[in-house]
Amino acid sequence: MDTNILYIAGAAVLGLIIGFIIAKSLEKGKASKIIGEAEREAKSILKDAKSEGESIKKDKILQAKEKFIELKAEHEKVILSRDKKMAEAEKRIRDKESQISSELSKAKKSNQSLDDKIKDYDYRLEFLEKKAEEVEKAHKSQIKQLEVISGLSADDAKHQLVESLKEEAKTDAMAFVQDRVEEAKLTAQQEAKKIIINTIQRIGTEEAVDNCVSVFNIESDDVKGRIIGREGRNIRAIEAATGVEIIVDDTPEAIILSCFDSVRREIARLSLHKLVTDGRIHPARIEEVVKKTQKQIEQEIIEVGKRTVIDLGIHGLHPELIKMVGRMKYRSSYGQNLLQHSREVAKLCGVMAAELGLNPKLAKRAGLLHDIGKVPDAEADVETPHAILGMKWAEKHGEKPEVCNAIGAHHDEIEMTTLLSPIIQVCDAISGARPGARRQVLDSYIQRLKDLEAVAFGFPGVKKAYAIQAGRELRVIVESEKVTDDKAASLSFEISQKIQTDMTYPGQVKVTVIRETRAVNIAK
């Protein structure tokens, strides 16, 4: 059994060896066949590559030859253009050389001619110098002979001649000046009259004198009763808030507002109009409406100033000066509305400056601003003359020196330094001298009421002061924190005594001191 297994195993091993040998031989045959085919294929590829390389080589050689030909042609073109430019440059150089040579020859001829002329001039100069010496000798000899004949030296004779000529010229000049002065006096007076008359004729304005009373129209007596309020509390509140006296009488459908200050009167009128339109009339509402109306009037003042400067064609005016111009609407000068007066003066100045050949725009500017000193911001400014105060404000806000001098000199407070100043003075006089333009009495009356209020403001603790009833009553509102009830009584007496000693007035002045205490709390 074991022996059979060994035989079988040996046979198997032998078979494997024989199979391996046979496989190797077969594989070798196949490999030799594959190698042969590969060699044949490689030879074919090499042959094809050689033929393709030859063709590529030929193509590249042809391309290189074509490129060389193109480059050669371009190079030849460049060389030809350079040769052409060089030929042109050489031609220009030859032309320049010929031109320079011709100019050199001309210069040589000119130099030769100049040398000849210099020699000639030197000869003539020498000849003239000799002649001048001979003339000088002859002149001196003649002067000596004249001195011997006349018995005077040359200096004395010259001095006498000059003096005689001076006297003669002075006489002629005096006669000429006298004739011209007389002629100028006649023609200047005629021309001045002509200019002023033409100016006045071209500027015609309406004249309306401001008064101290405004009439507020109402629809019915029921509205009048609501304005009065219970026991007159609404009227007292309006008077305390505005400083205007409310006169309610038997005149149907009308209430009279009396105050010398047109701003206060306008605030009271507008406030009443708003209260009547709204229907709610009580002290708290009155104070609220009056405050809003005061702000509205301030804004209206600015708008009036802007419209005025636009109408007159004035540009670049400082905002503060525009506000002062608008404030003039509510001021009067001897009963004449200050804004209307200033507008008229500006137009007159523009026309007159144009007639005289001056700058009309600058003249209008000075004419409009000449009375801005009459609308002072503070009571302290009242003491300064309005012309000087207006000049200071104009200088402060960058106006030109000509305008400032015209403002300050229109009442002769300072010396006039420009031609614009007398024009402003003349136009101011023309505007104020129109028939019915001004009232002296009204202005003095308003000044007396202002002085009456100023007396009250001179005491400590005074909050507001209003002169009412044509100056027969002074109503003073004091601060309750600073003035007690006892002090209020003594303050009333002190104010009345100061008015009595310092002021002159007809009749009597009633001094009423009002002290009001309020307690206000807010529920949140």
Side-chain angles (χ1 to χ4, degrees), residues 341 345 348 370 410-411 423-434 438:
H341 166 66
V345 171
L348 288 167
H370 81 284
H410 78 277
H411 283 311
I423 292 176
I424 304 302
Q425 188 179 52
V426 170
C427 294
D428 182 36
I430 291 172
S431 176
R434 289 181 184 272
R438 294 188 172 186

Side-chain angles (χ1 to χ4, degrees), residues 241-269:
T242 61
V244 174
E245 183 181 0
I246 311 294
I247 301 172
V248 182
D249 52 15
D250 296 334
T251 306
E253 299 181 355
I255 292 175
I256 297 173
L257 309 177
S258 176
C259 182
F260 70 92
D261 192 334
S262 55
V263 177
R264 293 186 201 166
R265 202 165 63 244
E266 184 68 10
I267 290 172
R269 189 186 69 79

Side-chain angles (χ1 to χ4, degrees), residues 6-23:
L6 291 172
Y7 286 150
I8 292 167
V13 170
L14 183 61
L16 287 170
I17 293 168
I18 294 168
F20 179 76
I21 293 168
I22 293 168

